[in-house]
Amino acid sequence: MFKLPVTTIALIIVCCGAIIGPLGMSAVNIAIPNLAADLQASASMVGWLPTLYLLSSVVFMLPCGKMADNYGRKRVYASGLGLNAFSALMCAIGSSIEWILFWRFVQGAAGAMIFGVGIAIITSVTPDKKRGMALGISAACVYIGLSIAPAIGGWLTELWGWRAVFFSQVPLVLLLLLSIKLFLHGEWKSELKTRFDWWGTVIFSLFSVCLVVGLSYVPSMLGLLLLILSVLCLLLFVVHQSQSRQPLIRVQMFIESRIFSLSLSTSFLMYASNFSLAFLLSLYLQYIKGLSPLQAGQVVLLQAVTMAIVAPFAGRLADKIQPRMIATSGCLVVAMGFLALSQLSVTSSIAYISSALLLLGVGFGLFSTPNNNAIMGAVSRNELGVASSSMNLSRTIGNLFGMSLVNLMFHHFLGDSTLSPDTNDALMSTISMAFNMSLSFVIVAMLVSSLRGRA
C-alpha cells in the first residue's frame, strides 16, 4: 500500500493547522462590531480582544518552544490544538465581554503552542536544501487561512452571529487532532534535555504584561511606571539568561549570528506594522464606508490571497538566492502599500484600498519566507524549537507592540465611547495615525534587512 513519507505528512498537518489558526485571529476581527453591539462593550474594551490574544502568545511562546525541544514537538503542538478548541468553545458561549477577554487570553496561549512549534516540526524533518520551499508552502497556508478567515468570519457573522465564528473552529481542530493520531507517527525533540527555566519564564511574563498594560495607560503616571518596569524586567531577563546554565534561550545565539539577530529584528518591525491592518480596515469599511461584515471581509481578503500566491515562489527563490535580497525587496513593496494607505480618507474608493492591499500582499509574500528561512538556517538542530519560537516571538511581539500603540490611539481619540456614526471623525483620525506609524516601521525594517549579511 502506498505510504506518504513523514516529511510530507508533517508538512500537510502543519499546513492544515496554519489554515485553521487564523480563524482565531482574523475571522474574529470581522465579528468585532457585532460582538461589541451584542455585549454593549466600549471601544477601549473591544481594543483588548486582539491585544490579549497577542499578550498571551508572547508570554507563553518561549516556554512552549523549550518544552517542545525537551518533551517532543508533536506533543506540544497537539496539546495546543486541543486547548485552542476548548477556549474557542468557551468564547462562543460567553455572555459578557470580560468572560470572552479571559478565554481569548487562554486561546493566545494555545496559539503559542501551535505557531511556536509548527515550523520546528517542518524543519526537523526537511532536508536543508528543500527547507525554503517547505517553509514557503507553510507560509502560503498561513496566508490562505488569513485569506479565507475574514470572508468566513463575515459570512458566519451575517448568517448566524458572532458566536458562530468561535463555534466553527472546534470541529476543524478535532478533525486535525484525529489526523495527527492516525497518520503522524514519531516524535522530534532535542538530544540534550535540560531543566525548565521557571524564573526566566516569570521574568519574561512580567516584562510582557508591564509592556502591554503600560502602553494602554500612557501618558498617565501609572503607564509610564509600568513601561519603565517592563524595560527593567527585559534587562533582568537578558542578564538571567546569559548567566543561567539551562536558559529558555541562549543569549549567545544573537551574538553568534548577525543573520539570526537582524532577521528577528526585521521580523519584529514588519509585523508591528501589519497586524492592526485587518482590525483597522474592518472598522473603516463597516463604520465609515457602510459595508456589511461579509463585504468588508472580502476586501480585507485581497492582501492575504496575494501573499499566499507569492510566498511559495519566494521560498523557492530563497533556496537559490540570498534571502536578504528578496526580503529587503519585499520591505520596499510593503512601504509603497502603507504609503498609499496613509493617504486614506472618508472618500477613498474601494479600488484604491484594494490596490494598496495588493502591494502589501506582494511585499509580505516576498519578505516572510526568505526571512524565516534565514532564521531557521542560522541555528543548530538541537535548538530548532527555541529558534522557531524566537521567530514567532519576534512576530508576535511585533504584532503586540503595534496593536498596543493602536490601542493607545483608541484611548486618546475615542476613550470609552461606543463606536457609532458620531465617532467617525475620531475613528478616521485614529486610522490615519496608525497607518503612518506602520509606514515608519517598514522603512526602518528595510534598512535593518539590508544590513543582515550573507546567509
Side-chain angles (χ1 to χ4, degrees), residues 223-271:
L224 294 174
L225 288 175
L226 286 172
L227 287 179
I228 293 171
L229 183 58
S230 73
V231 173
L232 293 176
C233 287
L234 180 59
L235 293 174
L236 180 60
F237 177 75
V238 172
V239 172
H240 174 77
Q241 294 298 285
S242 62
Q243 295 178 350
S244 175
R245 293 182 180 179
Q246 298 174 328
L248 280 177
I249 181 170
R250 289 191 309 112
V251 177
Q252 291 78 8
M253 291 170 68
F254 296 89
I255 302 171
E256 292 166 358
S257 173
R258 187 174 69 171
I259 294 173
F260 182 73
S261 56
L262 292 187
S263 296
L264 287 176
S265 301
T266 307
S267 177
F268 166 81
L269 291 164
M270 289 296 286
Y271 286 101

Side-chain angles (χ1 to χ4, degrees), residues 401-444:
F401 185 71
M403 194 64 215
S404 295
L405 291 178
V406 170
N407 248 3
L408 176 60
M409 296 174 197
F410 264 74
H411 277 281
H412 177 73
F413 287 105
L414 291 159
D416 290 325
S417 59
T418 303
L419 292 173
S420 68
D422 294 335
T423 62
N424 278 359
D425 288 342
L427 180 60
M428 194 67 242
S429 298
T430 305
I431 291 170
S432 297
M433 182 177 288
F435 286 143
N436 277 295
M437 175 194 73
S438 295
L439 176 60
S440 302
F441 284 154
V442 175
I443 291 171
V444 177

